[in-house]
Amino acid sequence: MNITNKTSDLTISCETGNYHTMCPISCVSWLYQTIAGSFFLVIGTKTCGYFLQNALGVMIFSSPRYAMAELEEADISSQLNDFKELKRIMSQIKSDRNPSVIVCILTCTPEIIKMDLEGMAPLLEAELNVPIVVARANGLDSAFTQGEDVVLAAMVGHCGQAAQGSTPSALPKPGVRPSAEPQPEGNSEVKSLVLFGSLPSSLANQLEGELKRQGVNVKGWLPSARYSDLPLLGENVYVCGVNPYLSRTATALIRRGHCKYTASPFPIGPDGTTAWITSICKTFGIVPTGLIEREAKIWESLRPSMDLLKGKTVFFMGDNLLEISLARFLVRCGAVVLEVGIPYLDRRYQSAELALLEQTCKDMGVPLPRIIEKPDNYFQTIRIKELLPDLVITGLAHANPLEARGITTKWSIEFTFAQIHGYSNSAALLELLTRPLRRNNNLNVSQGSLKQQNYVPG
Amino acid sequence: MKLAYWMYAGPAHIGTLRVTSSFKNVHAIMHGPIGDSFFPVLSSMLSRSRDFAPVTTSILDRHVLARGSQEKVIENLRRKEKEEHPDLIVLTPTCTSSILQEDLQNFVIAAKQHIVQNDLSSECDVLFIDSNHYRLNEHQAADLALEQIVRHYLEKAKKEDTGKSMRSPQPSCNILGMFTLGFHSQHDLRELKNLLNDLGVEVNQVIPEGGSVTAIKNLRNAWFNIVPFRDAGLMTAVYLAKEFNMPYTTITPIGLIDTAAFAREISLICRSAVASDSALLKSTTGFSPLILNQEGLEKYIEKQTSFVSQAAWFNRSVDSNNLTGKRVFVFGSASHSASITKLLVREMGVHVVCAGTFQKHDADWFTHQVSGFCNKILITDDHSQVADVIANLEVDAIFGTQSERHVGKRLNLPCGVISAPVHIQNYPMGFKPFLGYEGANQIADLIYNSFALGMEEHMLDMFKGHDTAEITSRSYSSDASSTKLEWTKEALAELSKIPGFVRSKVKRNTEKYAQTKQINLITLEVIYDAKEAVS
Ligand code: SF4
């Protein structure tokens, strides 16, 4: 089922979807850190709790602002009243932590037993006097980083409207609190920019700084560093994403927030960063200055690491939706990307990124990678065995077994936790990508004896 | 609904998968949502397995929810049979799929029929292992899964009339319940085999670790069974005892006293087997393994205890005088916590103020084991309750799981890890058993080091040993440079966010950069520019 549209030579096919990825509820680990004072309550079973505990390791012991509301047998058989139970648990959280917002993550089991938390939320908000965001992030519908997408999309409903100002909830919404700076309400000509995607504050500052140099001021972020600072949305608000996995959020911002969306490649790698700044400037009618020199300087500093990648073949098994952007950056660095596995590809949201990938391949004179949505890990290991790529970017489930078969791997999860955005992180990103290659060069142990002779995929 | 931050035991399917993936050539298909495919990560990262975990997910998504999963599950079973030719495929639900109440048992039957129809030579078995996710935890499910697999193969053998019980001519045993991701279990298995070898007991089979399901029918050739830990294997031992009259021991050979007790118990089992079975009497005449020779066994134990193992002497040496009367808290799985408690009290003279376990289902056994050895018994799976108890007890050291280690850090108490659940550092590469005579040495080291480190801290504090005064002279700015650099408030805030160990480097680099650019006021932009310039 190859889908080829006229404007593109990229082939995108679809496999069985039997691949390893992290559960989307893992997003709580980075989101609670971005939104100060928030509390994430994951409503689910022991399976969810066990996953979080093991995936997040020691973080769990540093009194994180997230917890499980673990469903018991009586909850499943509806012997217990969901509303009462949730109220009890949330009151406890409120008295222990006094959070500025409680984000409830509804996992698979509440989804199947059709727990109606959206219906209960206004009542709970009123009784507890804490805003409640309900996000259905679970393994039935999404993969890994898409968890953030679901949460941010749910938060769109909690942003105030720049023009109207009033919101249906009883609680004061962030945008209309009295202390908010006066909005240029009457002046409908003023365009403002809101960026979406969760980044550590220093990284957000850096990106804001880049835009400021071009004369574009960022009006707000989704998520904001504080719940009470959620951005105001509306007709004259232009939104742009910083991460490739935020298509639901983009849709929610357009449909529910009535914002205008700026399609752009993502600011990953110097090429992506330039393209991203350029797209935003274009929206605001600004001609960007100094970017070409800036980018050239960064490439120059990356040259030694890029030499390591020259002509190397790379294979993405796919698990976190950053794959297209990373592949595009790698091709620009001189690598040949054979396959890009990706859990889900929103062709509209990623259109500019896909176009840049195609253009980059043409510029570099390398063949286009094949893109596989919902890959099948078993089939992929067979292809890896045939192609013997120089580098496989994959999740932790496959990394060690592939290494044992003599295939060099880079574990993909690191890209979601490391700082990889903007010009100034390009070197760090390239460092991550080339680290396994450098380790191979450094190891004196005869690799041959470590390899298993017969490559048996499975 | 329960508010939970951390748990000691995982969900049921993890236990099942630990058992199936420990066998050779057994593949598990888990029926659940894609996020539940986490087990292979544990297998690959914690036990650093070189092989792909023999587990696939038959993925439950919206589509499947709407249409039912029969077709997909059967297709996945057939596919795995073709791809990997396993001896056995196990289908198991996760908590999400188990509430759908689909007839998975029937899917298995259908898949099996299909496999047989299409490939008469296929030896592949298909088994459905159900475990109630709301009633069983990881360990109970593992115990149950192992019993179900063993039962399946023994009943099959009975029907086919293969694998008749032929007790081996010499004393032999099965080791039940050693499996992947167990606490130090690889090391324990090796040490246990060493011990049995010394005693003259052959190991007939180890299951599930490294075992083959096709050999299960020969389990009955052993004289008796060993269940080293109560986490798994007990149900199987009970089944084998009932069905085939095989005796078993559940003594955990941790510490010198219990290792001796273990050896004496299996000696008794073997000697009574010989006494009651004339065939065995004949086959063992002229051959005298220690296990059948009471006097020799006692000499062996004496020699091991006094000379080979260093633990007993160590506990007598003046070095360990200061352990006397030290107050400790012990917590972990039932087997480990009970064994370590007894060891601390009887062999090291340490005062166990409180001993506890999170395995609530085994509370009676645990209570029985440790009564008389500690002042207080704690049975709970709530880690915050454990932390509260520790905080109120005024102990000198903690022996527990990773959770207790973190409690220890917060309370500034030394902690030795003696039980799962654990982190990756508790899967050591060096030989570190807990069982047997070498295990006794390892435990002595662990316990002594915990106290010694605690003591060191104490001394350092007393003599103000740690130099905590901030070392400022190294920072670049205090050099006698002519320009005075100023930092804006935002820039300073940004600097404070940088992790401590690189902060001064970043500060130095930024100021160096600023000086070369002749900038006097360091703003956010300057920090980023500097970063770019050096990177
Ligand atoms: S896939 Fe569903 S049940 Fe499994 S951990 Fe994720 S949310 Fe929980």
Side-chain angles (χ1 to χ4, degrees):
Chain A
M1 30 194 252
N2 289 352
I3 292 157
T4 329
N5 58 38
K6 288 175 203 84
T7 54
S8 166
D9 291 334
L10 282 169
T11 47
I12 302 171
S13 45
C14 190
E15 277 183 349
T16 65
N18 208 324
Y19 64 98
H20 285 291
T21 184
M22 300 288 228
C23 177
I25 60 174
S26 51
C27 68
V28 303
S29 67
W30 63 85
L31 285 175
Y32 89 84
Q33 300 188 54
T34 313
I35 311 167
S38 61
F39 193 95
F40 281 74
L41 183 65
V42 180
I43 304 172
T45 60
K46 248 190 170 26
T47 304
C48 312
Y50 188 74
F51 164 74
L52 278 180
Q53 174 170 326
N54 281 285
L56 309 182
V58 287
M59 231 191 255
I60 222 114
F61 291 108
S62 52
S63 313
R65 288 188 316 276
Y66 61 83
M68 288 289 308
E70 194 184 313
L71 298 169
E72 292 169 299
E73 200 167 15
D75 297 305
I76 306 299
S77 55
S78 333
Q79 281 163 298
L80 291 175
N81 179 316
D82 289 344
F83 182 79
K84 274 200 202 139
E85 290 293 300
L86 281 168
K87 197 180 140 196
R88 178 174 58 80
I89 282 184
M90 289 185 187
S91 323
Q92 195 181 330
I93 292 169
K94 194 181 171 202
S95 68
D96 290 352
R97 305 294 184 95
N98 193 26
S100 57
V101 55
I102 298 180
V103 182
C104 290
I105 307 282
L106 284 182
T107 67
C108 300
T109 300
E111 195 66 37
I112 288 177
I113 61 173
K114 307 225 157 32
M115 182 185 275
D116 176 29
L117 192 50
E118 283 91 347
M120 287 180 250
L123 287 173
L124 286 166
E125 276 187 342
E127 291 212 18
L128 297 165
N129 200 27
V130 177
I132 293 173
V133 176
V134 182
R136 297 178 173 267
N138 57 60
L140 294 169
D141 298 312
S142 45
F144 200 7
T145 48
Q146 287 179 293
E148 174 180 326
D149 193 19
V150 175
V151 173
L152 298 191
M155 276 191 176
V156 168
H158 291 249
C159 297
Q161 281 288 326
Q164 293 101 308
S166 75
T167 48
S169 168
L171 273 180
K173 284 289 154 94
V176 292
R177 70 196 190 291
S179 61
E181 66 181 274
Q183 293 298 314
E185 273 176 49
N187 185 356
S188 57
E189 302 301 304
V190 179
K191 294 178 179 178
S192 68
L193 176 68
V194 166
L195 299 176
F196 58 97
S198 158
L199 294 178
S201 64
S202 62
L203 198 43
N205 285 341
Q206 286 172 43
L207 290 181
E208 272 188 43
E210 297 292 353
L211 291 170
K212 212 175 185 178
R213 283 177 207 228
Q214 305 298 339
V216 179
N217 282 322
V218 176
K219 195 86 198 152
W221 281 81
L222 179 69
S224 47
R226 240 177 272 281
Y227 175 76
S228 54
D229 294 342
L230 279 179
L232 295 173
L233 306 175
E235 295 278 329
N236 293 317
V237 176
Y238 285 71
V239 291
C240 189
V242 297
N243 272 322
Y245 41 77
L246 299 174
S247 59
R248 287 182 179 88
T249 309
T251 310
L253 285 165
I254 298 166
R255 299 234 178 101
R256 298 179 61 190
H258 309 292
C259 303
K260 297 204 176 61
Y261 175 64
T262 301
S264 158
F266 301 98
I268 293 170
D271 47 345
T273 308
T274 302
W276 183 75
I277 297 172
T278 310
S279 308
I280 291 173
C281 286
K282 205 166 141 207
T283 302
F284 287 84
I286 294 171
V287 181
T289 53
L291 290 184
I292 295 165
E293 301 77 25
R294 190 81 189 291
E295 194 189 326
K297 226 171 80 195
I298 303 271
W299 285 120
E300 199 43 50
S301 71
L302 298 182
R303 191 131 327 264
S305 295
M306 279 160 66
D307 287 343
L308 268 172
L309 280 172
K310 201 143 282 156
K312 292 275 186 331
T313 50
V314 183
F315 190 107
F316 284 85
M317 287 186 82
D319 71 341
N320 61 12
L321 284 89
L322 290 168
E323 291 86 1
I324 305 282
S325 309
L326 292 176
R328 177 259 301 151
F329 172 59
L330 277 172
V331 170
R332 184 62 186 74
C333 287
V336 180
V337 178
L338 305 172
E339 173 166 328
V340 181
I342 185 168
Y344 168 72
L345 183 59
D346 185 316
R347 268 151 253 192
R348 276 205 329 180
Y349 178 65
Q350 294 233 39
S351 58
E353 185 65 275
L354 284 168
L356 184 58
L357 169 67
E358 204 178 334
Q359 188 57 47
T360 307
C361 287
K362 279 184 189 135
D363 293 348
M364 300 299 290
V366 297
L368 294 170
R370 97 181 103 183
I371 298 177
I372 309 245
E373 211 182 344
K374 292 182 182 296
D376 184 299
N377 282 167
Y378 183 83
F379 297 150
Q380 284 185 314
T381 52
I382 293 176
R383 292 198 287 273
I384 288 171
K385 184 190 173 187
E386 282 164 3
L387 297 167
L388 296 175
D390 295 307
L391 183 65
V392 173
I393 297 175
T394 181
L396 292 171
H398 289 88
N400 271 336
L402 285 171
E403 288 282 350
R405 281 154 185 79
I407 302 282
T408 303
T409 62
K410 168 70 217 149
W411 44 288
S412 51
I413 289 125
E414 216 170 344
F415 299 114
T416 45
F417 291 101
Q419 304 206 354
I420 61 171
H421 293 72
Y423 288 123
S424 45
N425 288 305
S426 302
L429 172 59
L430 192 56
E431 203 272 345
L432 280 184
L433 284 161
T434 53
R435 190 183 294 163
L437 299 171
R438 272 175 289 131
R439 180 202 52 189
N440 281 0
N441 293 345
N442 292 341
L443 284 183
N444 285 324
V445 184
S446 155
Q447 286 282 324
S449 63
L450 274 173
K451 287 176 195 172
Q452 290 181 357
Q453 290 311 307
N454 300 320
Y455 184 102
V456 193
Chain B
M1 244 177 250
K2 198 166 86 184
L3 187 61
Y5 293 89
W6 202 75
M7 66 177 93
Y8 285 101
H13 72 271
I14 295 287
T16 309
L17 296 180
R18 282 177 61 193
V19 166
T20 59
S21 65
S22 298
F23 277 113
K24 266 188 286 190
N25 217 21
V26 171
H27 198 98
I29 294 188
M30 191 173 57
H31 183 36
I34 198 163
D36 287 356
S37 67
F38 188 64
F39 181 82
V41 176
L42 295 177
S43 150
S44 157
M45 295 312 288
L46 293 183
S47 58
R48 284 181 282 264
S49 169
R50 295 178 190 219
D51 283 310
F52 295 101
V55 176
T56 22
T57 316
S58 178
I59 291 164
L60 180 64
D61 56 18
R62 284 278 158 204
H63 203 59
V64 170
L65 267 187
R67 299 189 346 189
S69 50
Q70 172 154 13
E71 210 177 298
K72 194 164 179 187
V73 169
I74 294 176
E75 172 51 30
N76 280 319
L77 286 164
R78 290 197 312 226
R79 197 183 138 188
K80 263 310 131 191
E81 192 269 333
K82 251 190 265 147
E83 286 167 356
E84 319 245 354
H85 311 292
D87 297 326
L88 169 68
I89 304 178
V90 166
L91 177 69
T92 190
T94 70
C95 52
T96 306
S97 58
S98 65
I99 54 170
L100 293 177
Q101 299 189 317
E102 286 183 303
D103 194 353
L104 296 179
Q105 178 71 62
N106 247 329
F107 300 176
V108 162
I109 294 170
K112 206 164 176 172
Q113 270 166 0
H114 185 277
I115 291 168
V116 174
Q117 271 163 19
N118 285 278
D119 182 5
L120 285 172
S121 65
S122 170
E123 297 279 330
C124 184
D125 260 301
V126 191
L127 203 59
F128 170 59
I129 293 190
D130 197 7
S131 36
N132 186 320
H133 276 266
Y134 294 93
R135 296 194 190 152
L136 303 183
N137 66 25
E138 174 184 355
H139 307 117
Q140 293 162 292
D143 206 10
L144 183 76
L146 185 60
E147 196 247 16
Q148 285 192 19
I149 293 173
V150 167
R151 185 190 287 267
H152 173 81
Y153 279 95
L154 286 176
E155 275 171 10
K156 190 172 156 194
K158 223 192 311 183
K159 256 187 249 150
E160 294 167 359
D161 206 27
T162 54
K164 284 209 194 73
S165 173
M166 296 217 327
R167 270 209 266 196
S168 62
Q170 305 298 341
S172 66
C173 68
N174 300 311
I175 301 175
L176 306 180
M178 299 300 265
F179 59 160
T180 185
L181 295 173
F183 181 68
H184 290 239
S185 72
Q186 293 290 344
H187 312 277
D188 280 345
L189 186 57
R190 199 170 124 197
E191 182 61 15
L192 192 57
K193 283 180 174 170
N194 288 344
L195 178 65
L196 292 167
N197 187 41
D198 282 357
L199 297 175
V201 179
E202 270 171 34
V203 176
N204 178 48
Q205 275 183 44
V206 179
I207 58 163
E209 187 66 61
S212 156
V213 287
T214 54
I216 285 180
K217 56 177 187 276
N218 302 326
L219 274 179
R220 290 176 290 165
N221 295 356
W223 290 21
F224 66 101
N225 292 313
I226 294 172
V227 183
F229 301 107
R230 299 175 66 82
D231 292 2
L234 196 53
M235 278 181 79
T236 310
V238 170
Y239 164 74
L240 292 169
K242 247 211 255 155
E243 222 33 47
F244 305 103
N245 231 339
M246 292 178 80
Y248 63 90
T249 176
T250 58
I251 295 179
T252 303
I254 284 185
L256 298 171
I257 295 176
D258 277 351
T259 301
F262 169 82
R264 289 188 186 111
E265 175 153 298
I266 62 177
S267 172
L268 204 67
I269 291 175
C270 290
R271 281 183 285 125
S272 67
V274 171
S276 64
D277 187 335
S278 55
L280 289 185
L281 184 59
K282 230 186 276 163
S283 70
T284 52
T285 14
F287 170 81
S288 177
L290 275 181
I291 202 74
L292 296 176
N293 171 348
Q294 203 175 356
E295 221 173 289
L297 180 70
E298 290 305 324
K299 270 198 204 127
Y300 170 81
I301 291 172
E302 171 64 24
K303 194 175 124 209
Q304 286 289 331
T305 308
S306 315
F307 302 107
V308 178
S309 162
Q310 296 297 307
W313 159 239
F314 171 77
N315 293 335
R316 287 259 164 327
S317 73
V318 290
D319 225 5
S320 52
N321 260 347
N322 63 356
L323 296 187
T324 316
K326 280 270 190 287
R327 295 158 54 88
V328 303
F329 174 87
V330 183
F331 197 82
S333 74
S335 294
H336 281 95
S337 179
S339 297
I340 298 288
T341 298
K342 288 189 284 176
L343 182 152
L344 283 166
V345 174
R346 296 188 296 188
E347 298 175 31
M348 300 191 97
V350 171
H351 179 174
V352 176
V353 185
C354 177
T357 183
F358 53 82
Q359 285 174 323
K360 293 204 285 200
H361 64 277
D362 221 1
D364 291 345
W365 178 86
F366 182 78
T367 308
H368 181 242
Q369 287 292 306
V370 299
S371 345
F373 293 110
C374 57
N375 310 49
K376 187 177 151 72
I377 296 171
L378 178 66
I379 314 270
T380 178
D381 57 3
D382 177 353
H383 75 110
S384 52
Q385 195 191 340
V386 176
D388 288 346
V389 170
I390 297 174
N392 289 326
L393 275 180
E394 298 277 326
V395 290
D396 299 303
I398 307 169
F399 296 100
T401 72
Q402 273 300 329
S403 171
E404 284 71 50
R405 195 173 72 87
H406 284 272
V407 174
K409 264 196 199 158
R410 225 178 305 148
L411 299 175
N412 226 343
L413 287 170
C415 177
V417 175
I418 54 133
S419 165
V422 290
H423 289 333
I424 192 157
Q425 69 262 37
N426 300 105
Y427 293 89
M429 280 163 279
F431 185 48
K432 290 206 166 63
F434 268 57
L435 296 188
Y437 293 107
E438 180 52 28
N441 289 340
Q442 296 291 339
I443 296 171
D445 276 344
L446 174 76
I447 287 168
Y448 182 74
N449 287 343
S450 306
F451 281 116
L453 291 179
M455 198 62 183
E456 203 170 33
E457 272 303 307
H458 181 70
M459 299 296 252
L460 278 169
D461 264 4
M462 237 164 71
F463 296 111
K464 306 261 174 293
H466 281 308
D467 190 2
T468 49
E470 234 189 291
I471 304 164
T472 45
S473 57
R474 253 194 255 146
S475 90
Y476 186 84
S477 55
S478 69
D479 285 0
S481 56
S482 49
T483 43
K484 182 88 186 77
L485 289 169
E486 277 200 60
W487 289 65
T488 63
K489 232 172 58 204
E490 295 78 37
L492 275 179
E494 185 68 27
L495 188 67
S496 70
K497 276 187 228 146
I498 294 165
F501 59 97
V502 284
R503 195 178 304 144
S504 64
K505 188 175 159 207
V506 172
K507 184 164 186 240
R508 232 167 2 196
N509 285 341
T510 310
E511 295 188 342
K512 215 190 304 185
Y513 173 84
Q515 283 178 337
T516 57
K517 297 268 155 173
Q518 302 188 331
I519 298 168
N520 294 330
L521 182 68
I522 296 179
T523 59
L524 275 180
E525 283 75 26
V526 178
I527 300 185
Y528 303 139
D529 289 347
K531 186 179 174 200
E532 233 174 87
V534 294
S535 58

